[in-house]
Every structure is written in structure tokens, then in C-alpha cells.
């Protein structure tokens, strides 16, 4: 298979982890005899420094003319510490989602058994958790009208949803549930928010097309509690942009660390794959960022955009083998044991690559 992949490292640890995701994709191409052509592009703080624009036109052209995108993260302390700056890295990310019509963000929350002890949640509560989030990406408070009143002391961000935005992501969530445990939990705040009442109404209507899938509705505050209390009770979670943003960070604790969660953003055209974490200024440049979320993003890319299921699964097996051998980055090391062998960002990526070669492909296909 011949495909063009744009690598969009972005800022901070985005650069460090996408290097490892790319390494894995290169090895997969070698093992399975595919031709992946890589191009690199800029977004975020780097792009502002280079051109004054967090998403330059040249980047948009590159993104629209490739088969898939592996993205890192955007963000820089300069902007976090100065809210008055008008041009900001995150604007590049929001614009990219709009430009590419990426309206559905899929976030699988799957716990590797080897990391049961790495989470702050008890192992017996976590074991067997397997949740797939569908977070809406192009509506909500992020895109509604925002501003300040003249006196500067009143600010607003309009929470807004349109029927078609809810319908298209609801269909995706119900279709995915059919390939899993056939349950969709729709999360909203319909007791107080009108946009949530529309959300609930539309999701209920769409559910009629999928009588084989169970639908339940939860308020976001209760869902946040139940995620930690009984994560196994969730299969597919369907929610809006803001609630999805917060709940998936919470759910990262089920998987042990922010550094373990990948996501896929899909919609009308090319798919974009990225870790759920940000640019993590606190650890940038230290070589300790966990690259597994980026490597898992590469696995999702192969599966969803290219339909390469065996290749995608091989990456998961290589990560399992790595963790089984006791190798960890610091964020997932078990503080209670000294058995873990600590790797840095680059050596973790290389170790996963070495496992890809070791798992016999012929056995793997037969398993
Ligand atoms: P963050 O996700 O960058 O970091 C949160 C915490 O998790 C930090 O302590 C960090 O060290 C840790 N962490 C994150 N990824 C890790 C990894 N791979 N390995 C080990 N530890 C990891 O969130 P934040 O600190 O709130 O934000 C930092 C910057 O990132 C901000 O500028 C923010 O705007 C930006 N951000 C960008 C995105 C994105 O590009 N999609 C998402 C979230 C935040």
C-alpha cells in the first residue's frame, strides 16, 4: 500500500513523541512492505514564530493533500501565562478541525493489564475497563460567540449546538457500539442547559434507527462520578465538546496516565491522530515524555484511515510485550515496586520497534 502521511509535531513534547510514532510507522511499512511517504509541517507556537499564523495556509494545503495526519500537541507557556495575547497556538488546532471537517473525536480508554497498579484507582475496579468516547469537536462553547462586555468585567462563551452536528456524531457512536457491547451512554446537562435538551432529544431520535443498541442518558456530573466508581459500566460514551474534553482527561486515569491515551479525529475527509495530552511544558526537553499515546495514535491511524487491522494490532501487541517485559516511562512506573526498568522517550520508542520485529507475523496472523 502506498500512502502519504503528514507528521505535524507542534510544540513541546508533541515533537518528542511524534518522532517515536513515526519510527513505529516506518518499521510497520518495512515489515509489511508498504510505502509510507512522510511530509512534515508546522502548527502552533512554532508556526506563529515563523509566520505570525498558528495554522499557515501552506500547512492547510499539505493537510488537505495527504492520506492521514499524525499530530503531536500545541501550546507554549508564553500564551498560558498571558491571556491578553490575541494570536494563540490553540487557534491553529481549532481552525484545523474546522478546515478538515473533523467533527468526531474517538478516544479509546483501554487499560493494559500490566498497568493495573499504575493507576490511582483500585485494580479490582479498573480490571476489564474498555470505553470508547465519542467527543463532538466542532460545536459547543469552543465555537459559539464569545466576548467581553464594555466594562471588561463580564465575559461569555455561547454553548451552541445544531441538530445536524448532533445527528452525524450520534450515528457514528451507534455504529461503533454495534461492533462492541451494544451500549451507548449519552452525557449532557439537560436538567439545566437548553443545548443539552436538544442534544438529548436528537440522540433519542437517532437511537430509533439502532434498536439493537441500548441507550442511556446521564448528566455530566453523575457520569464523572460513575466513571471512577464503576468504569466497566460504560461501553460507548457520546458527548459534546466541553464535557468530552473534561471527561476524557478524567478517564485517562483509568489507563494509568495521560501518556497512554490516543485519539482519532474523523469527519468528512482526512483523519487526524493524536495523543490526548498537551505540550506538557513541565517535562519538555527532559526526554521523559511517554511516547506510547503517540504510538497508539499511529495504530489507530493504520486501522481507521488505511484499514490495516493486522498492522494496527501488531503495534498493540508490541506495546503489550514491552510492558510485560517491565519497561516503563516514569509516568507509568509503579512506585510500589522497584522492578520496573525505566526508559526515556526515545528508548521506549526503539524498544517498541524492536518488539514489532520480534513478534512473528505468521504466528500473529494465525492467532
Ligand atoms: P498536558 O496534557 O500537557 O499535561 C498535563 C500533565 O500530564 C502534566 O503534568 C504533564 O507532564 C503530564 N503529561 C502529559 N503528557 C504526558 C506524557 N506523554 N508523558 C508523561 N507525562 C505527560 O496539559 P496542560 O499541562 O494542562 O497543558 C500544557 C499545554 O498544552 C497548554 O499550553 C495547553 O493549552 C496545551 N494543550 C494542548 C492540547 C492539544 O494540543 N491537543 C491539549 C491539551 C493541552
Amino acid at each position: 500500500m502506498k500512502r502519504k502521511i503528514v507528521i505535524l509535531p507542534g510544540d513541546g513534547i508533541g515533537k518528542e513523541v511524534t518522532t517515536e510514532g513515526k519510527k513505529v510507522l516506518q518499521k510497520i511499512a518495512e515489515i509489511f512492505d508498504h510505502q509510507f511517504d512522510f511530509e512534515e509541517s508546522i502548527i502552533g507556537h512554532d508556526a506563529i514564530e515563523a509566520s505570525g499564523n498558528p495554522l499557515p495556509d501552506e500547512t492547510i494545503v499539505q493537510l488537505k493533500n495527504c492520506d492521514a495526519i499524525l499530530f503531536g500537541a500545541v501550546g507554549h507557556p508564553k500564551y498560558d501565562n498571558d491571556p491578553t495575547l490575541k494570536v494563540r497556538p490553540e487557534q491553529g488546532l481549532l481552525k484545523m478541525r474546522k478546515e478538515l471537517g473533523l467533527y468526531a473525536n474517538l478516544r479509546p480508554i483501554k487499560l493494559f493489564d500490566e498497568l493495573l497498579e499504575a493507576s490511582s484507582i483500585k485494580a479490582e475496579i479498573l480490571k476489564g475497563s474498555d470505553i470508547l468516547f465519542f467527543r463532538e469537536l466542532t460545536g459547543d462553547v469552543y465555537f459559539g460567540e464569545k466576548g467581553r462586555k464594555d466594562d471588561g468585567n463580564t465575559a461569555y462563551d455561547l454553548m451552541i449546538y445544531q441538530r445536524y452536528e448532533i445527528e452525524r456524531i450520534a450515528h457514528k457512536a451507534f455504529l461503533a457500539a454495534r461492533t462492541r457491547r451494544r451500549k451507548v451512554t449519552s452525557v449532557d446537562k439537560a436538567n439545566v442547559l437548553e443545548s443539552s435538551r436538544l442534544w438529548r432529544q436528537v440522540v433519542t431520535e437517532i437511537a430509533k434507527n439502532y434498536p439493537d443498541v441500548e441507550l442511556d442518558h446521564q448528566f455530566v456530573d453523575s457520569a464523572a462520578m460513575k466513571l471512577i466508581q464503576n468504569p466497566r459500566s460504560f461501553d460507548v460514551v457520546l458527548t459534546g465538546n466541553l464535557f468530552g474534553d473534561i471527561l476524557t482527561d478524567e478517564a485517562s486515569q483509568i489507563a494509568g496516565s495521560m501518556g497512554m491515551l490516543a485519539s482519532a479525529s474523523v469527519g468528512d475527509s482526512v483523519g487526524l491522530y493524536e495523543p490526548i495530552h498537551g505540550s506538557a511544558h513541565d517535562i519538555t526537553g527532559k526526554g521523559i515524555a511517554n511516547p506510547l499515546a503517540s504510538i497508539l495514535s499511529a495504530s489507530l491511524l493504520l486501522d481507521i484511515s488505511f484499514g490495516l487491522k493486522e498492522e494496527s494490532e501488531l503495534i498493540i501487541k508490541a506495546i503489550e510485550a514491552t510492558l510485560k517485559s517491565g519497561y516503563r516511562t516514569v509516568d507509568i512506573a509503579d512506585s510500589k515496586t522497584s522492578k520496573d526498568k525505566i526508559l526515556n522517550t526515545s528508548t521506549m520508542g526503539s524498544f517498541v520497534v524492536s518488539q514489532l520485529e520480534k513478534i512473528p507475523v505468521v504466528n500473529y496472523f494465525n492467532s
Side-chain angles (χ1 to χ4, degrees):
M1 180 181 279
K2 183 171 161 29
R3 290 286 183 273
K4 194 199 285 182
I5 301 173
V6 169
I7 305 286
L8 199 55
D11 305 319
I13 66 162
K15 292 187 178 56
E16 300 166 29
V17 299
T18 42
T19 302
E20 306 311 311
K22 180 180 172 187
K23 246 181 192 159
V24 166
L25 286 169
Q26 282 170 320
K27 181 50 79 176
I28 287 285
E30 193 187 309
I31 295 172
F32 289 88
D33 205 17
H34 298 305
Q35 184 183 333
F36 295 156
D37 298 322
F38 294 94
E39 272 181 17
E40 195 151 312
S41 201
I42 56 168
I43 186 172
H45 169 69
D46 272 11
I48 296 173
E49 294 289 296
S51 68
N53 182 349
L55 186 68
D57 291 346
E58 306 82 73
T59 300
I60 298 175
V61 171
Q62 274 181 295
L63 300 180
K64 287 189 172 169
N65 288 290
C66 72
D67 299 302
I69 304 157
L70 186 70
F71 172 54
V74 290
H76 190 277
K78 175 173 151 188
Y79 308 89
D80 294 350
N81 300 332
D82 186 355
T84 63
L85 289 171
K86 291 272 177 283
V87 180
R88 312 182 62 82
E90 297 77 18
Q91 292 161 346
L93 183 58
L94 298 184
K95 186 170 174 205
M96 176 166 69
R97 289 173 180 161
K98 273 278 184 211
E99 284 280 342
L100 301 177
L102 301 171
Y103 61 81
N105 186 232
L106 280 66
R107 297 186 167 191
I109 313 282
K110 197 166 165 27
L111 174 69
F112 288 90
D113 278 349
E114 294 73 21
L115 295 184
L116 267 175
E117 299 299 333
S119 173
S120 43
I121 307 169
K122 285 185 198 136
E124 66 265 27
I125 288 176
L126 286 180
K127 198 163 172 37
S129 302
D130 181 2
I131 309 171
L132 178 58
F133 272 87
F134 276 79
R135 169 190 170 196
E136 203 287 329
L137 268 195
T138 56
D140 214 332
V141 290
Y142 298 85
F143 293 98
E145 191 190 335
K146 50 184 78 241
R148 293 243 181 150
K149 293 271 169 65
D150 287 345
D151 68 358
N153 294 324
T154 306
Y156 55 91
D157 300 272
L158 180 67
M159 181 176 264
I160 182 164
Y161 264 114
Q162 299 180 65
R163 167 175 284 275
Y164 81 94
E165 292 173 316
I166 306 166
E167 283 177 350
R168 62 187 182 181
I169 190 165
H171 278 297
K172 281 204 184 297
F174 280 102
L175 285 170
R178 278 188 167 159
T179 67
R180 297 169 49 95
R181 303 191 302 283
R182 293 177 185 264
K183 181 175 172 190
V184 170
T185 301
S186 175
V187 176
D188 59 38
K189 188 72 185 164
N191 48 344
V192 283
L193 300 173
E194 195 54 39
S195 54
S196 276
R197 283 194 271 276
L198 176 66
W199 180 278
R200 192 173 280 221
Q201 178 191 332
V202 173
V203 172
T204 305
E205 287 167 21
I206 298 295
K208 296 197 177 100
N209 299 296
Y210 305 90
D212 52 325
V213 178
E214 180 195 339
L215 168 67
D216 81 316
H217 299 278
Q218 288 183 19
F219 297 133
V220 62
D221 35 357
S222 157
M225 182 268 292
K226 286 185 186 154
L227 258 181
I228 299 298
Q229 184 195 45
N230 185 11
R232 279 193 298 270
S233 66
F234 294 92
D235 177 17
V236 171
V237 178
L238 166 63
T239 191
N241 208 344
L242 178 64
F243 299 152
D245 195 358
I246 298 164
L247 289 178
T248 50
D249 266 28
E250 182 194 357
S252 73
Q253 287 314 297
I254 296 170
S257 164
M258 296 278 279
M260 291 302 298
L261 284 193
S263 83
S265 298
V266 297
D268 301 332
S269 56
V270 63
L272 177 135
Y273 301 85
E274 57 173 312
I276 78 153
H277 61 72
S279 48
H281 323 309
D282 53 339
I283 57 168
T284 298
K286 296 185 179 163
I288 58 171
N290 183 347
L292 293 179
S294 180
I295 294 172
L296 286 164
S297 303
S299 164
L300 282 177
L301 179 158
L302 294 172
D303 180 1
I304 298 175
S305 278
F306 299 170
L308 297 174
K309 301 229 175 284
E310 290 83 2
E311 288 83 338
S312 168
E313 263 298 310
L314 184 62
I315 295 176
I316 309 280
K317 299 253 174 209
I319 293 175
E320 273 167 4
T322 301
L323 297 173
K324 266 199 187 96
S325 309
Y327 290 99
R328 304 279 187 275
T329 42
V330 281
D331 57 308
I332 50 172
D334 181 0
S335 56
K336 294 192 275 304
T337 90
S338 55
K339 278 186 275 169
D340 293 340
K341 298 162 221 167
I342 305 297
L343 298 179
N344 63 31
T345 309
S346 165
T347 50
M348 175 57 98
S350 301
F351 197 86
V352 174
V353 166
S354 72
Q355 297 307 296
L356 287 172
E357 288 176 311
K358 276 194 184 155
I359 300 168
V361 172
V362 62
N363 285 357
Y364 170 73
F365 283 136
N366 292 338
S367 66

PDB file of all heavy atoms in Angstrom, residues 71-98:
ATOM      1  N   PHE A  71      -0.425  13.883  14.542  1.00  0.00           N
ATOM      2  CA  PHE A  71      -0.250  15.182  15.197  1.00  0.00           C
ATOM      3  C   PHE A  71       0.291  14.995  16.612  1.00  0.00           C
ATOM      4  O   PHE A  71       0.007  13.976  17.247  1.00  0.00           O
ATOM      5  CB  PHE A  71      -1.618  15.885  15.190  1.00  0.00           C
ATOM      6  CG  PHE A  71      -1.699  17.153  15.990  1.00  0.00           C
ATOM      7  CD1 PHE A  71      -0.813  18.199  15.780  1.00  0.00           C
ATOM      8  CD2 PHE A  71      -2.698  17.321  16.953  1.00  0.00           C
ATOM      9  CE1 PHE A  71      -0.902  19.374  16.518  1.00  0.00           C
ATOM     10  CE2 PHE A  71      -2.793  18.488  17.701  1.00  0.00           C
ATOM     11  CZ  PHE A  71      -1.896  19.517  17.485  1.00  0.00           C
ATOM     12  N   GLY A  72       1.069  16.001  17.107  1.00  0.00           N
ATOM     13  CA  GLY A  72       1.571  15.944  18.483  1.00  0.00           C
ATOM     14  C   GLY A  72       0.676  16.748  19.419  1.00  0.00           C
ATOM     15  O   GLY A  72      -0.336  16.259  19.904  1.00  0.00           O
ATOM     16  N   ALA A  73       1.011  18.018  19.644  1.00  0.00           N
ATOM     17  CA  ALA A  73       0.203  18.888  20.512  1.00  0.00           C
ATOM     18  C   ALA A  73       0.648  20.325  20.260  1.00  0.00           C
ATOM     19  O   ALA A  73       1.748  20.558  19.747  1.00  0.00           O
ATOM     20  CB  ALA A  73       0.428  18.536  21.981  1.00  0.00           C
ATOM     21  N   VAL A  74      -0.207  21.277  20.626  1.00  0.00           N
ATOM     22  CA  VAL A  74       0.211  22.681  20.563  1.00  0.00           C
ATOM     23  C   VAL A  74       0.115  23.311  21.943  1.00  0.00           C
ATOM     24  O   VAL A  74      -0.623  22.832  22.804  1.00  0.00           O
ATOM     25  CB  VAL A  74      -0.638  23.517  19.565  1.00  0.00           C
ATOM     26  CG1 VAL A  74      -0.360  23.121  18.138  1.00  0.00           C
ATOM     27  CG2 VAL A  74      -2.129  23.430  19.905  1.00  0.00           C
ATOM     28  N   GLY A  75       0.847  24.394  22.136  1.00  0.00           N
ATOM     29  CA  GLY A  75       0.792  25.120  23.405  1.00  0.00           C
ATOM     30  C   GLY A  75       2.185  25.533  23.849  1.00  0.00           C
ATOM     31  O   GLY A  75       3.167  24.831  23.556  1.00  0.00           O
ATOM     32  N   HIS A  76       2.242  26.696  24.521  1.00  0.00           N
ATOM     33  CA  HIS A  76       3.534  27.231  24.965  1.00  0.00           C
ATOM     34  C   HIS A  76       3.266  28.086  26.202  1.00  0.00           C
ATOM     35  O   HIS A  76       2.251  28.800  26.246  1.00  0.00           O
ATOM     36  CB  HIS A  76       4.143  28.066  23.825  1.00  0.00           C
ATOM     37  CG  HIS A  76       5.555  28.468  24.071  1.00  0.00           C
ATOM     38  ND1 HIS A  76       5.893  29.563  24.837  1.00  0.00           N
ATOM     39  CD2 HIS A  76       6.719  27.917  23.655  1.00  0.00           C
ATOM     40  CE1 HIS A  76       7.210  29.671  24.879  1.00  0.00           C
ATOM     41  NE2 HIS A  76       7.740  28.685  24.181  1.00  0.00           N
ATOM     42  N   PRO A  77       4.156  28.047  27.204  1.00  0.00           N
ATOM     43  CA  PRO A  77       3.907  28.796  28.442  1.00  0.00           C
ATOM     44  C   PRO A  77       3.664  30.281  28.218  1.00  0.00           C
ATOM     45  O   PRO A  77       2.890  30.911  28.946  1.00  0.00           O
ATOM     46  CB  PRO A  77       5.189  28.584  29.260  1.00  0.00           C
ATOM     47  CG  PRO A  77       6.016  27.586  28.544  1.00  0.00           C
ATOM     48  CD  PRO A  77       5.398  27.305  27.211  1.00  0.00           C
ATOM     49  N   LYS A  78       4.314  30.829  27.181  1.00  0.00           N
ATOM     50  CA  LYS A  78       4.167  32.262  26.892  1.00  0.00           C
ATOM     51  C   LYS A  78       2.684  32.662  26.807  1.00  0.00           C
ATOM     52  O   LYS A  78       2.279  33.696  27.304  1.00  0.00           O
ATOM     53  CB  LYS A  78       4.873  32.516  25.562  1.00  0.00           C
ATOM     54  CG  LYS A  78       4.771  33.880  25.004  1.00  0.00           C
ATOM     55  CD  LYS A  78       5.689  33.979  23.778  1.00  0.00           C
ATOM     56  CE  LYS A  78       5.148  34.992  22.780  1.00  0.00           C
ATOM     57  NZ  LYS A  78       5.893  34.958  21.533  1.00  0.00           N
ATOM     58  N   TYR A  79       1.887  31.801  26.175  1.00  0.00           N
ATOM     59  CA  TYR A  79       0.467  32.126  25.965  1.00  0.00           C
ATOM     60  C   TYR A  79      -0.364  31.775  27.199  1.00  0.00           C
ATOM     61  O   TYR A  79      -1.319  32.463  27.526  1.00  0.00           O
ATOM     62  CB  TYR A  79      -0.077  31.380  24.733  1.00  0.00           C
ATOM     63  CG  TYR A  79       0.790  31.598  23.527  1.00  0.00           C
ATOM     64  CD1 TYR A  79       1.868  30.750  23.263  1.00  0.00           C
ATOM     65  CD2 TYR A  79       0.567  32.675  22.675  1.00  0.00           C
ATOM     66  CE1 TYR A  79       2.694  30.966  22.175  1.00  0.00           C
ATOM     67  CE2 TYR A  79       1.397  32.905  21.583  1.00  0.00           C
ATOM     68  CZ  TYR A  79       2.462  32.040  21.348  1.00  0.00           C
ATOM     69  OH  TYR A  79       3.284  32.272  20.280  1.00  0.00           O
ATOM     70  N   ASP A  80      -0.002  30.652  27.846  1.00  0.00           N
ATOM     71  CA  ASP A  80      -0.764  30.244  29.035  1.00  0.00           C
ATOM     72  C   ASP A  80      -0.670  31.331  30.108  1.00  0.00           C
ATOM     73  O   ASP A  80      -1.613  31.558  30.856  1.00  0.00           O
ATOM     74  CB  ASP A  80      -0.220  28.927  29.620  1.00  0.00           C
ATOM     75  CG  ASP A  80      -0.440  27.772  28.664  1.00  0.00           C
ATOM     76  OD1 ASP A  80      -1.172  27.974  27.681  1.00  0.00           O
ATOM     77  OD2 ASP A  80       0.121  26.682  28.895  1.00  0.00           O
ATOM     78  N   ASN A  81       0.503  31.995  30.170  1.00  0.00           N
ATOM     79  CA  ASN A  81       0.717  32.984  31.228  1.00  0.00           C
ATOM     80  C   ASN A  81       0.255  34.389  30.846  1.00  0.00           C
ATOM     81  O   ASN A  81       0.328  35.296  31.647  1.00  0.00           O
ATOM     82  CB  ASN A  81       2.207  33.024  31.615  1.00  0.00           C
ATOM     83  CG  ASN A  81       2.665  31.661  32.127  1.00  0.00           C
ATOM     84  OD1 ASN A  81       1.857  30.907  32.668  1.00  0.00           O
ATOM     85  ND2 ASN A  81       3.936  31.335  31.931  1.00  0.00           N
ATOM     86  N   ASP A  82      -0.156  34.576  29.593  1.00  0.00           N
ATOM     87  CA  ASP A  82      -0.590  35.908  29.161  1.00  0.00           C
ATOM     88  C   ASP A  82      -1.871  35.813  28.338  1.00  0.00           C
ATOM     89  O   ASP A  82      -1.851  35.718  27.117  1.00  0.00           O
ATOM     90  CB  ASP A  82       0.522  36.571  28.321  1.00  0.00           C
ATOM     91  CG  ASP A  82       0.159  37.998  27.974  1.00  0.00           C
ATOM     92  OD1 ASP A  82      -0.976  38.432  28.308  1.00  0.00           O
ATOM     93  OD2 ASP A  82       0.996  38.689  27.365  1.00  0.00           O
ATOM     94  N   PRO A  83      -3.025  35.841  29.037  1.00  0.00           N
ATOM     95  CA  PRO A  83      -4.301  35.680  28.327  1.00  0.00           C
ATOM     96  C   PRO A  83      -4.628  36.834  27.379  1.00  0.00           C
ATOM     97  O   PRO A  83      -5.566  36.731  26.599  1.00  0.00           O
ATOM     98  CB  PRO A  83      -5.327  35.583  29.473  1.00  0.00           C
ATOM     99  CG  PRO A  83      -4.663  36.081  30.688  1.00  0.00           C
ATOM    100  CD  PRO A  83      -3.179  36.014  30.480  1.00  0.00           C
ATOM    101  N   THR A  84      -3.837  37.932  27.426  1.00  0.00           N
ATOM    102  CA  THR A  84      -4.165  39.064  26.547  1.00  0.00           C
ATOM    103  C   THR A  84      -3.630  38.875  25.130  1.00  0.00           C
ATOM    104  O   THR A  84      -4.002  39.598  24.226  1.00  0.00           O
ATOM    105  CB  THR A  84      -3.575  40.387  27.100  1.00  0.00           C
ATOM    106  OG1 THR A  84      -2.143  40.265  27.115  1.00  0.00           O
ATOM    107  CG2 THR A  84      -4.082  40.683  28.507  1.00  0.00           C
ATOM    108  N   LEU A  85      -2.751  37.877  24.924  1.00  0.00           N
ATOM    109  CA  LEU A  85      -2.196  37.677  23.575  1.00  0.00           C
ATOM    110  C   LEU A  85      -3.309  37.234  22.627  1.00  0.00           C
ATOM    111  O   LEU A  85      -4.048  36.291  22.913  1.00  0.00           O
ATOM    112  CB  LEU A  85      -1.073  36.637  23.608  1.00  0.00           C
ATOM    113  CG  LEU A  85       0.226  37.085  24.275  1.00  0.00           C
ATOM    114  CD1 LEU A  85       1.186  35.922  24.456  1.00  0.00           C
ATOM    115  CD2 LEU A  85       0.884  38.197  23.455  1.00  0.00           C
ATOM    116  N   LYS A  86      -3.411  37.928  21.512  1.00  0.00           N
ATOM    117  CA  LYS A  86      -4.555  37.681  20.615  1.00  0.00           C
ATOM    118  C   LYS A  86      -4.315  36.477  19.696  1.00  0.00           C
ATOM    119  O   LYS A  86      -5.251  35.753  19.348  1.00  0.00           O
ATOM    120  CB  LYS A  86      -4.817  38.937  19.751  1.00  0.00           C
ATOM    121  CG  LYS A  86      -5.349  40.113  20.550  1.00  0.00           C
ATOM    122  CD  LYS A  86      -6.878  40.078  20.637  1.00  0.00           C
ATOM    123  CE  LYS A  86      -7.480  41.176  21.474  1.00  0.00           C
ATOM    124  NZ  LYS A  86      -7.394  41.005  22.927  1.00  0.00           N
ATOM    125  N   VAL A  87      -3.074  36.292  19.241  1.00  0.00           N
ATOM    126  CA  VAL A  87      -2.776  35.150  18.371  1.00  0.00           C
ATOM    127  C   VAL A  87      -2.231  34.033  19.252  1.00  0.00           C
ATOM    128  O   VAL A  87      -1.245  34.224  19.964  1.00  0.00           O
ATOM    129  CB  VAL A  87      -1.739  35.546  17.293  1.00  0.00           C
ATOM    130  CG1 VAL A  87      -1.425  34.360  16.379  1.00  0.00           C
ATOM    131  CG2 VAL A  87      -2.243  36.710  16.477  1.00  0.00           C
ATOM    132  N   ARG A  88      -2.894  32.849  19.234  1.00  0.00           N
ATOM    133  CA  ARG A  88      -2.573  31.794  20.196  1.00  0.00           C
ATOM    134  C   ARG A  88      -2.450  30.440  19.490  1.00  0.00           C
ATOM    135  O   ARG A  88      -3.152  30.178  18.508  1.00  0.00           O
ATOM    136  CB  ARG A  88      -3.662  31.713  21.277  1.00  0.00           C
ATOM    137  CG  ARG A  88      -4.029  33.060  21.882  1.00  0.00           C
ATOM    138  CD  ARG A  88      -5.066  32.936  22.978  1.00  0.00           C
ATOM    139  NE  ARG A  88      -4.562  32.140  24.080  1.00  0.00           N
ATOM    140  CZ  ARG A  88      -3.775  32.601  25.042  1.00  0.00           C
ATOM    141  NH1 ARG A  88      -3.412  33.863  25.050  1.00  0.00           N
ATOM    142  NH2 ARG A  88      -3.343  31.812  25.998  1.00  0.00           N
ATOM    143  N   PRO A  89      -1.583  29.558  19.996  1.00  0.00           N
ATOM    144  CA  PRO A  89      -1.374  28.258  19.341  1.00  0.00           C
ATOM    145  C   PRO A  89      -2.663  27.448  19.188  1.00  0.00           C
ATOM    146  O   PRO A  89      -2.892  26.812  18.151  1.00  0.00           O
ATOM    147  CB  PRO A  89      -0.409  27.540  20.289  1.00  0.00           C
ATOM    148  CG  PRO A  89       0.259  28.596  21.077  1.00  0.00           C
ATOM    149  CD  PRO A  89      -0.690  29.740  21.164  1.00  0.00           C
ATOM    150  N   GLU A  90      -3.534  27.469  20.221  1.00  0.00           N
ATOM    151  CA  GLU A  90      -4.754  26.642  20.194  1.00  0.00           C
ATOM    152  C   GLU A  90      -5.674  27.038  19.047  1.00  0.00           C
ATOM    153  O   GLU A  90      -6.469  26.218  18.576  1.00  0.00           O
ATOM    154  CB  GLU A  90      -5.526  26.762  21.517  1.00  0.00           C
ATOM    155  CG  GLU A  90      -4.778  26.247  22.743  1.00  0.00           C
ATOM    156  CD  GLU A  90      -3.696  27.191  23.259  1.00  0.00           C
ATOM    157  OE1 GLU A  90      -3.707  28.391  22.908  1.00  0.00           O
ATOM    158  OE2 GLU A  90      -2.811  26.725  24.001  1.00  0.00           O
ATOM    159  N   GLN A  91      -5.551  28.309  18.589  1.00  0.00           N
ATOM    160  CA  GLN A  91      -6.392  28.720  17.460  1.00  0.00           C
ATOM    161  C   GLN A  91      -6.064  27.881  16.228  1.00  0.00           C
ATOM    162  O   GLN A  91      -6.931  27.582  15.404  1.00  0.00           O
ATOM    163  CB  GLN A  91      -6.169  30.213  17.136  1.00  0.00           C
ATOM    164  CG  GLN A  91      -6.685  31.141  18.217  1.00  0.00           C
ATOM    165  CD  GLN A  91      -6.072  32.531  18.142  1.00  0.00           C
ATOM    166  OE1 GLN A  91      -5.065  32.761  17.445  1.00  0.00           O
ATOM    167  NE2 GLN A  91      -6.660  33.464  18.871  1.00  0.00           N
ATOM    168  N   GLY A  92      -4.802  27.483  16.109  1.00  0.00           N
ATOM    169  CA  GLY A  92      -4.387  26.639  14.974  1.00  0.00           C
ATOM    170  C   GLY A  92      -5.089  25.294  15.015  1.00  0.00           C
ATOM    171  O   GLY A  92      -5.550  24.762  13.989  1.00  0.00           O
ATOM    172  N   LEU A  93      -5.213  24.747  16.224  1.00  0.00           N
ATOM    173  CA  LEU A  93      -5.849  23.441  16.394  1.00  0.00           C
ATOM    174  C   LEU A  93      -7.344  23.514  16.072  1.00  0.00           C
ATOM    175  O   LEU A  93      -7.887  22.674  15.328  1.00  0.00           O
ATOM    176  CB  LEU A  93      -5.637  23.008  17.849  1.00  0.00           C
ATOM    177  CG  LEU A  93      -6.146  21.647  18.279  1.00  0.00           C
ATOM    178  CD1 LEU A  93      -5.518  20.562  17.441  1.00  0.00           C
ATOM    179  CD2 LEU A  93      -5.822  21.420  19.755  1.00  0.00           C
ATOM    180  N   LEU A  94      -8.008  24.535  16.604  1.00  0.00           N
ATOM    181  CA  LEU A  94      -9.453  24.674  16.362  1.00  0.00           C
ATOM    182  C   LEU A  94      -9.723  24.923  14.872  1.00  0.00           C
ATOM    183  O   LEU A  94     -10.642  24.343  14.289  1.00  0.00           O
ATOM    184  CB  LEU A  94     -10.036  25.808  17.212  1.00  0.00           C
ATOM    185  CG  LEU A  94      -9.942  25.638  18.736  1.00  0.00           C
ATOM    186  CD1 LEU A  94     -10.635  26.763  19.471  1.00  0.00           C
ATOM    187  CD2 LEU A  94     -10.538  24.309  19.196  1.00  0.00           C
ATOM    188  N   LYS A  95      -8.878  25.759  14.259  1.00  0.00           N
ATOM    189  CA  LYS A  95      -9.070  26.052  12.830  1.00  0.00           C
ATOM    190  C   LYS A  95      -8.843  24.794  11.991  1.00  0.00           C
ATOM    191  O   LYS A  95      -9.563  24.525  11.031  1.00  0.00           O
ATOM    192  CB  LYS A  95      -8.097  27.161  12.416  1.00  0.00           C
ATOM    193  CG  LYS A  95      -8.326  27.641  10.995  1.00  0.00           C
ATOM    194  CD  LYS A  95      -7.544  28.892  10.674  1.00  0.00           C
ATOM    195  CE  LYS A  95      -7.692  29.229   9.199  1.00  0.00           C
ATOM    196  NZ  LYS A  95      -6.580  30.004   8.673  1.00  0.00           N
ATOM    197  N   MET A  96      -7.832  24.007  12.385  1.00  0.00           N
ATOM    198  CA  MET A  96      -7.541  22.775  11.632  1.00  0.00           C
ATOM    199  C   MET A  96      -8.755  21.833  11.676  1.00  0.00           C
ATOM    200  O   MET A  96      -9.131  21.249  10.666  1.00  0.00           O
ATOM    201  CB  MET A  96      -6.313  22.097  12.243  1.00  0.00           C
ATOM    202  CG  MET A  96      -5.960  20.767  11.613  1.00  0.00           C
ATOM    203  SD  MET A  96      -4.312  20.225  12.080  1.00  0.00           S
ATOM    204  CE  MET A  96      -4.518  19.863  13.807  1.00  0.00           C
ATOM    205  N   ARG A  97      -9.376  21.692  12.858  1.00  0.00           N
ATOM    206  CA  ARG A  97     -10.551  20.809  12.969  1.00  0.00           C
ATOM    207  C   ARG A  97     -11.670  21.295  12.064  1.00  0.00           C
ATOM    208  O   ARG A  97     -12.330  20.506  11.384  1.00  0.00           O
ATOM    209  CB  ARG A  97     -11.026  20.755  14.425  1.00  0.00           C
ATOM    210  CG  ARG A  97     -10.077  19.984  15.320  1.00  0.00           C
ATOM    211  CD  ARG A  97     -10.475  20.089  16.789  1.00  0.00           C
ATOM    212  NE  ARG A  97      -9.551  19.348  17.634  1.00  0.00           N
ATOM    213  CZ  ARG A  97      -9.416  19.531  18.944  1.00  0.00           C
ATOM    214  NH1 ARG A  97     -10.136  20.439  19.569  1.00  0.00           N
ATOM    215  NH2 ARG A  97      -8.569  18.806  19.635  1.00  0.00           N
ATOM    216  N   LYS A  98     -11.888  22.612  12.034  1.00  0.00           N
ATOM    217  CA  LYS A  98     -12.944  23.186  11.181  1.00  0.00           C
ATOM    218  C   LYS A  98     -12.605  22.996   9.705  1.00  0.00           C
ATOM    219  O   LYS A  98     -13.419  22.535   8.913  1.00  0.00           O
ATOM    220  CB  LYS A  98     -13.097  24.688  11.459  1.00  0.00           C
ATOM    221  CG  LYS A  98     -14.039  25.021  12.594  1.00  0.00           C
ATOM    222  CD  LYS A  98     -15.520  25.007  12.156  1.00  0.00           C
ATOM    223  CE  LYS A  98     -16.427  25.457  13.304  1.00  0.00           C
ATOM    224  NZ  LYS A  98     -17.743  24.882  13.329  1.00  0.00           N
TER     225      LYS A  98
END
